[in-house]
Amino acid sequence: MSEHAPAFHSSMMDLMALRSVTELPVARRHVLDPEVLRAVAVVDRVGDLTRFNVAEVPELAHVTGPEELLTPDEHGWALGHALSLAVEHGQRLWLSEVSPAQLDRLRALLGDHLVHIASLDESDGSGEAPADGTDEEGGSVVVAVSPRRLLDEWGTGTPAQIGYLRTVLEGTDPLRVSRHTLAALREAEVDLVPRAGIVRLLHNPRFLAYATVFIYSSLRALPAVYAPGFRGNPWVLWTIDIVTAVPYTWGIIAMVAGRRRRIRFAGFLVTLITFVAPYVYFFLAGDRGRGHGYPGWVIMVVIGLVLATFLLEGGRWLRDVAVARGLRAPRAG
């Protein structure tokens, strides 16, 4: 059985890294530094980097001088198209394979603070990129760039940079962009596709989650009126449901998608308390002497929330490990 253990372990790691940045072709060709990718993308966990919010952008390797690119020339339009896709799809990180000459041009255009070397030196196993930004074997490195930070800087940059954004991002659809990105686009006075605030709101997953739970909470108190043994005031129960609806939804979102561990733990506590609160009143106002009024499945849900929290944290840790190992894995050939 032991001879199958390595294969099983490898399969589990592949499963945990499913749909992560490790599936991108550039990540399969190079050994990358997960900490550099995480820091440039401004995410708390490397497991948050997926094939959907990270993109390989070969246009970065073909930029020309600032005057030609910002005119824009052919390469400027290509980079602008990549930036438009990044805005509309919420991309947090760009990766590109560049030669030494291309790296110098890119740094001259964007600045050293926006261009980060993400590939590791595979020749000596030191885990550090060469100081000159070149790879001894292939003569190229992988760079990491944040499109959000690029947009922020150019949106308040030189007249040429602002004019470039107005030209290449004209007609960009802001339907699902974040408030921060939308503010940057408006700061640069980019002509966007007109979208009413209510339309953007209805496409916001966070708003839809709050609305769903609020409706559910509004209706949850109705069955209590007909519950056997309930002696309380349905309006009090309804008020508790409504008051706890918003923190309950926040707790679920924070528990599942919170960036920091303390935020996720706070989300768990808020979810637990706000879920139980209506049932505590239901129990206290019920005919406990005859065993009515307190649904037993509530205890099972509470236990499930506790177990789910541990499983979520364990799953996140395993995914971080799997993605980091996948990025650092040596490449054949």
Side-chain angles (χ1 to χ4, degrees):
M1 181 177 294
S2 59
E3 65 183 13
H4 299 293
F8 176 76
H9 181 266
S10 177
S11 297
M12 285 298 299
M13 289 294 101
D14 290 342
L15 181 62
M16 294 305 300
L18 190 65
R19 297 183 180 275
S20 72
V21 62
T22 60
E23 295 183 355
L24 293 180
V26 67
R28 295 183 179 275
R29 295 193 303 267
H30 294 269
V31 176
L32 303 179
D33 188 336
E35 181 57 26
V36 170
L37 268 56
R38 185 202 63 79
V40 176
V42 193
V43 294
D44 288 324
R45 303 190 309 271
V46 69
D48 291 335
L49 298 176
T50 71
R51 57 185 300 180
F52 305 109
N53 60 18
V54 181
E56 182 174 359
V57 181
E59 291 83 359
L60 291 173
H62 303 291
V63 296
T64 49
E67 292 185 3
E68 296 84 2
L69 187 103
L70 298 178
T71 301
D73 61 4
E74 177 184 355
H75 300 293
W77 278 109
L79 184 64
H81 178 67
L83 187 57
S84 179
L85 290 177
V87 169
E88 294 184 345
H89 296 283
Q91 293 172 3
R92 303 190 68 93
L93 182 66
W94 281 350
L95 300 175
S96 183
E97 187 179 28
V98 299
S99 67
Q102 292 167 338
L103 176 62
D104 290 339
R105 286 199 301 270
L106 189 60
R107 282 174 165 169
L109 177 68
L110 304 184
D112 291 346
H113 63 295
L114 283 183
V115 181
H116 304 266
I117 297 177
S119 51
L120 296 169
D121 183 5
E122 302 175 41
S123 61
D124 61 8
S126 65
E128 296 181 356
D132 62 355
T134 62
D135 183 281
E136 294 182 6
E137 295 183 358
S140 63
V141 294
V142 176
V143 295
V145 174
S146 168
R148 292 188 175 192
R149 192 172 178 188
L150 173 62
L151 179 62
D152 286 343
E153 293 207 3
W154 283 17
T156 56
T158 65
Q161 291 171 338
I162 295 174
Y164 171 78
L165 293 181
R166 291 176 182 172
T167 300
V168 299
L169 295 182
E170 181 180 2
T172 297
D173 192 345
L175 185 62
R176 294 181 175 86
V177 304
S178 66
R179 286 181 295 178
H180 176 84
T181 301
L182 184 60
L185 292 170
R186 287 174 173 169
E187 178 73 18
E189 298 182 357
V190 175
D191 188 11
L192 305 171
V193 172
R195 293 292 187 184
I198 186 63
V199 175
R200 278 177 36 83
L201 195 63
L202 291 175
H203 285 81
N204 187 322
R206 189 177 294 267
F207 168 78
L208 295 177
Y210 276 99
T212 300
V213 174
F214 187 83
I215 294 172
Y216 160 73
S217 298
S218 300
L219 300 176
R220 187 168 59 165
L222 294 179
V225 178
Y226 307 101
F230 180 65
R231 300 290 182 265
N233 189 332
W235 290 106
V236 173
L237 183 61
W238 182 81
T239 301
I240 295 174
D241 276 332
I242 295 300
V243 170
T244 58
V246 171
Y248 174 71
T249 309
W250 177 87
I252 292 177
I253 295 174
M255 184 176 68
V256 175
R259 287 188 175 184
R260 302 183 185 277
R261 185 172 300 173
R262 64 174 179 268
I263 297 296
R264 296 194 295 272
F265 181 71
F268 161 70
L269 290 179
V270 171
T271 300
L272 186 62
I273 293 171
T274 52
F275 175 81
V276 171
Y279 294 105
V280 170
Y281 176 75
F282 193 84
F283 169 69
L284 295 176
D287 190 355
R288 291 174 290 170
R290 292 185 290 175
H292 297 301
Y294 193 66
W297 59 267
V298 173
I299 298 177
M300 300 303 297
V301 172
V302 171
I303 294 174
L305 285 173
V306 176
L307 293 177
T309 300
F310 284 105
L311 290 174
L312 282 171
E313 286 302 311
R316 287 189 179 96
W317 178 79
L318 286 175
R319 180 173 174 84
D320 288 344
V321 171
V323 173
R325 287 184 178 179
L327 292 171
R328 290 181 179 273
R331 304 304 184 226

